[in-house]
Amino acid sequence: MKKRFLFFLLGLLVLLAGCKSMSSMAAVEGSLSSGDYLAAVKAVEGQCEGADYKGKNRLLYYLDYGCLLHYAGFYEESNRALDQAEFIADELYAKSISRETGSWILNDNVKEYAGEEFELLYVHIFKCLNYIALDNCDDAMVEVRKANLKMELLENKYRKATDEYNRNAEAGARVPEADCHFHNSALSRYLGAILYRDDRSYDDARIESEWMERAFAEQGDVYGFNMPSLPALSEPEDKALLNVVAFSGLSPVKTPLNFVVTASSGILSFSATGYDKEYVQDLLGFAVLPWPGTQNINVIRFEIPILRDRSDVPDRIVAHIDGGAGSEYELELLENVNSIAKDTYRRKMPYTAVKTALRVIGKKVGSMAGSKAVGNASGNDALGILSGLLFDIAASATEGADTRGSFFLPAYASASEIALKPGIYNITLEYFHKGTRIFSDVHQGVEVKKGALNLLESFRF
């Protein structure tokens, strides 16, 4: 009987350990780095039925696929994919608050992925760019308005979830609210300004430019660089305007961070492996939390996901235009998606850390009770201790960090507005890092029209 029980526990451990798998997007990233966007699209298409994209991860497929289709120039197909992403995200958002409150017993990995705030914002921005490329500025403007509204709605998402939990928590640790500084996208406002200008709605274009100025004035944590030149409020009489937008790098990815929590004398203490208390305080907004009536419990380990950068901003991006009035035109940094991702993600960090800690504490209390029961039933204290150890390991195996997230959003957006005589130009975008040219993006036969919205996109991943 004892052997059967021991084999059962060992089998449970093996099963749980085998449930966690990781897959690599290295091949797709390699295609992006070489500029072979079609190959990247095909690679993701081939993985649509894989574990990374199927079932509870369906939103990720449409996010990644929609971005790659845009880079490859398949604008209608990109919009169809991003429409699906928007539909799924809205559907899951409608359920999110009530679902979050009742989901503390489950790891986030077992739930359907609902998207991060910054990911859902850029769904609308890339749909806007698709519509501009399709010469449908009316629908492009709709997407700009949706992006601005999305920021207002998502600003309160985790605040509502936190308030809901704190209202229902009769006793125990309360989740502190996290500060977030991002609520206004300069890239969205930039696109709005040039779209309104194209529509001859000059007062609206002025208002969008003022919002762009406010983005830099009020959000220094995410716009910690010089504000680029604002779009002109109207087109010069004798020239046309060309807007060049360059996307570079890849946005942050989630990686697991090992945390330790201890409970003693009504206090929960948090620490991160390899980091000091100041890091934990900055990351979560706290390092200790009161929890009246808690048991004294020694070290319990768990993981939470954090964002890690993947790339640096190019030193310079320069546009060379054959036949242009000047020899070269500098692009200016417009949006740091890395900073925005981290700032919006900060909203959920306290909530994620506390709910994960309370869940693993509950499992620990259960394993302690189970260990005692096994020891009493078997008359063998050693077997009870072993079962408790195996329960702890099994619990740890089910508490891996939820590292799901979109993989192919850019890290930076840069822009320049160039006044040119109407005509057809060959344009080369050169990317520099530490003074060395690392990439040239050549566009031949670019038509710049008078009285039209002329937008040229460039990518370097």
Side-chain angles (χ1 to χ4, degrees), residues 437-452:
R437 184 175 61 191
I438 57 174
F439 182 68
S440 294
D441 184 20
V442 180
H443 298 260
Q444 295 183 331
V446 177
E447 185 175 9
V448 179
K449 300 178 183 178
K450 181 73 176 171

Side-chain angles (χ1 to χ4, degrees), residues 319-327 329 420 424-428 443-444:
H320 294 272
I321 302 180
D322 293 348
S327 59
Y329 304 85
L420 298 168
I424 297 177
Y425 298 89
N426 296 327
I427 301 174
T428 300
H443 298 260
Q444 295 183 331

